[in-house]
Every structure is written in C-alpha cells, then in structure tokens.
Amino acid sequence: MRAYERLTGLLEAFREKIPGADFRECWGPGKAERLPDKPVVTGQVAGEKDAGGQWSAKLSLTVFLPRGAALKTGEELLEAMGAVVREAFPTVAEIRREGFGPDKASGLLAAGCFVSFEESGAEGGVRAVIGGVERPAAGWAVQIDPGRALTAIGEEEPFAQVGGVRYTVEISGVDTRGLERLAGFTVEIGGQEYARCRWKSLDETGKSAVFTSFHRREGGE
C-alpha cells in the first residue's frame, strides 16, 4: 500500500470515527474566499521512500479551528485522531503533533500532526523510466514541499490558500551518464509519473540523481 493509499484510508477512518470535523485532502491552488464553520483537517503525503526493500512514508495533517472555537476543541480532536490512527494502523512508527498557533494564510488557529510509517519488504531495487528509457535503480525518495489550497470535495472555491506544490525526487543507485542532456522530461518511479522535470543534481560517482517537478499523477509501475 503506497503513501497516498494510506492517506485516503486514514481520512476515511477519521470520517467514520470522528463525525464532528471535516476531513479532506489538500487540493490545488486557488483563491480563498470562504472560512469553515467547524474544525477542518486536511491531509497530504509529505514524503515517501523505498530503498533496499525498506519502505517509509510521512503523512502531514493540519487541524484548522473555526473562528471562536475553544482551544480545548482542537486538543480533543487531535487526541481522537491519534486513537484512530493507532486503531487503523497498529504498526504505525510515529505520531507527532505540534501546538496550536495562528496560520498566516487563513488567519485561523492551526496545528500540525505527522504520521510516519516504516515497513520492510522482500523486494530490492526499483523500476525507473527516465525520459522514456528504463534504468535500474536501488531506491527512490520523494519530498513534497507543503503548500496547497484547502478545498472541500465537490467545491471549486478553497477556504484557505497555502501555496503551490513541488516534488523533489532522489533516485539512488542509478547510472547517470547521459542524463544531463535531458530537460523538461518525464520520470516514472514508485507508481507515480512526474512531468516537466528538471535536474537539481546529478552525481555520477555516487550514482544519485535528484530532480524537481510541479506535475505528478498516478502511473508508472
């Protein structure tokens, strides 16, 4: 189960067990014109890694309190979320939360919560297709820069704007010869397809390639 599947599964569990709040994914940028009237929790994948059969992922959740809500409401919500995480995923590696503070984008009180997973698998090595050419690789890791508009499912106008999304992907154990000639290329790795990619670094000696992209969709293996 990949990180995004963990996220959607967790949001579904939250909706079932905690009816007093609105749980949703973070969505793409847009103009903010509406504020919530009940606690809202948004989630996204903050990072994922697969190397040598060791898989790990980090989910980022943010709790937004409506204006006038008591801080106690947020604390109780975070406690309930922690219980749901442990029930849904007993092998979760870590649950870490931050204290409430003002969110600059929305003006609401907000607190972050991070859920980490670590698992071992039998497979070693990954499939990477770079610029249409398949290259063997030892592993990969993606970091997702936080920042998305917060929009309810089925609605067009977000209630808070928190910027854009950039994916930084490192491919380890890969032959980098000739890759410097690529620009605006596509990469398929880890079940995802990244488009309009640009190199951040190429290390022929260390067999490491790092690229950035603002465009990602389900695809690849």
Side-chain angles (χ1 to χ4, degrees), residues 6 10 13-14 18 41 57-63 74-99 111-118:
R6 290 285 171 95
L10 189 54
F14 285 151
I18 311 175
V41 180
K58 183 178 181 180
L59 307 183
S60 175
L61 304 166
T62 305
V63 177
E75 297 292 343
E76 292 176 346
L77 177 56
L78 282 169
E79 290 183 8
M81 288 170 56
V84 171
V85 171
R86 294 183 180 90
E87 179 182 354
F89 301 103
T91 59
V92 62
E94 180 185 27
I95 302 174
R96 181 173 61 85
R97 53 151 297 183
E98 299 174 340
C113 179
F114 304 94
V115 180
S116 299
F117 300 95
E118 295 180 1

Side-chain angles (χ1 to χ4, degrees), residues 167-209:
Y167 306 97
T168 301
V169 182
E170 179 180 1
I171 307 174
S172 58
V174 64
D175 184 355
T176 64
R177 289 175 295 181
L179 294 182
E180 69 279 357
R181 295 193 292 268
L182 297 178
F185 52 95
T186 297
V187 177
E188 297 179 17
I189 193 167
Q192 306 290 319
E193 181 179 285
Y194 301 88
R196 303 179 191 176
C197 305
R198 297 195 178 277
W199 293 120
K200 184 176 181 180
S201 67
L202 290 170
D203 183 352
E204 184 173 344
T205 302
K207 293 187 175 296
S208 172

Side-chain angles (χ1 to χ4, degrees), residues 1-3 6 45 47-51 53-59 93 115-120 140-143:
M1 183 181 291
R2 300 193 180 279
R6 290 285 171 95
V45 177
E48 187 175 6
K49 181 178 181 180
D50 189 349
Q54 296 292 324
W55 176 85
S56 62
K58 183 178 181 180
L59 307 183
V115 180
S116 299
F117 300 95
E118 295 180 1
E119 297 177 2
S120 298
W140 57 270
V142 57
Q143 294 296 322

